[in-house]
Structures are given as C-alpha cells and as structure tokens.
Amino acid sequence: VLGTRLYSITFVFASILSPLTSVLEANERFDVSSVVAVIGQVISILLGMLLLWLGYGFLGLLCVGFVAMFVQIMVTLRAMHIYKLHHLPFRFAPGTWPTLIRASLPFGLTTLALTLNFRKLDGTMPHIVSFLVCRFRWRFFNCHDAFDCQ
C-alpha cells in the first residue's frame, strides 16, 4: 500500500516537470531537455543501484524517482532562467481549442498507431493510420504535400 501511495505521488512531480520541459522544447531548446532526461536516467540508475545494494528494496527505488524528478525540475527551472524563458504569458482562450485539436489530431493518430504497433496487434496499422493522417491534412488544411502546411 505504501508503494502505491509513493508511486502515485510521483505523478505530482511529473505534472510539474512535463510542462517545464515542454516550454524548453517549444523554444527549441531540445539540447537542454535531452540533458534533463539524461540526468534523470543517470540519477535513477546510479542511486537505484546504490539503494538496492544497501538493501532498501522496492520502496528505495520509488524514492529514487522523487530525487531524480526533483533534480530534473531544478535543472529545468535553472535552464529556463538562464535562457530567459521564465516570463511566459498565461492565456486562457477556449476559442482556439477546436483549431488546436484539429491540428494535433494527426499526431494523436500517429501515437495511436505506434501504441498498437508496439503491442503487436497489427503490423499494417501504422501504414493505415499514416494514410489517414495524410488524407486528414489534405482535407482540413488544403495541403498538396506534407511540406505545404504551415
């Protein structure tokens, strides 16, 4: 029960970390977001091995997630400060949501195809979804090829 509670709390850290790394990626700082991901993985592996070696077991591994995500959040906040990305305006505009959903639907379909492909449901599913994505882009954005849409 304690393990489930600890693991559930990591979602709070992830809900903080994900938007922060999205800000970096939206400003094309993929190098920094990659470094943040690598830092999290290195901390998880090294600290996890240490805590397992010391005998802390499964609960120790769950605590490693807290440490790794906390460090990732701090590094991301520092990078946002260095690159002056911390003064972002917040705008709540529900009127833009239908356009955003329409524009993001091809990415959602691609993710669905990859999920189905990784689960080995059907090897042809990604091709079908890719075809549908191309048709969707042409229909809703009047694109003549993949590079025509902005």
Side-chain angles (χ1 to χ4, degrees):
V1 174
L2 179 61
T4 304
R5 288 181 183 165
L6 287 174
Y7 185 70
S8 298
I9 295 171
T10 62
F11 286 105
V12 174
F13 282 95
S15 69
I16 296 168
L17 179 61
S18 293
L20 294 177
T21 56
S22 294
V23 168
L24 291 175
E25 292 170 357
N27 287 282
E28 298 180 359
R29 296 306 314 199
F30 299 108
D31 54 339
V32 179
S33 63
S34 297
V35 167
V36 168
V38 169
I39 287 172
Q41 291 172 351
V42 168
I43 289 173
S44 296
I45 291 169
L46 295 178
L47 194 56
M49 286 176 22
L50 177 68
L51 290 180
L52 283 176
W53 185 66
L54 294 174
Y56 285 98
F58 178 70
L59 293 179
L61 286 177
L62 288 175
C63 292
V64 167
F66 290 117
V67 173
M69 279 198 231
F70 179 76
V71 171
Q72 286 178 299
I73 290 169
M74 292 297 112
V75 170
T76 304
L77 287 173
R78 181 68 181 146
M80 288 174 65
H81 179 71
I82 290 171
Y83 295 110
K84 296 179 179 33
L85 302 174
H86 53 280
H87 295 294
L88 299 173
F90 178 76
R91 186 176 59 152
F92 187 76
T96 61
W97 294 354
T99 305
L100 180 64
I101 290 171
R102 236 181 321 155
S104 64
L105 190 59
F107 299 106
L109 290 174
T110 303
T111 302
L112 175 65
L114 289 172
T115 302
L116 295 175
N117 188 33
F118 285 136
R119 293 184 184 209
K120 306 288 187 220
L121 291 178
D122 189 4
T124 60
M125 185 63 72
H127 301 292
I128 293 169
V129 173
S130 295
F131 172 77
L132 292 174
V133 166
C134 290
R135 297 295 293 172
F136 174 84
R137 288 179 63 111
W138 181 81
R139 167 113 168 108
F140 288 101
F141 297 108
N142 293 324
C143 298
H144 300 293
D145 59 33
F147 301 103
D148 194 27
C149 292
Q150 292 289 333

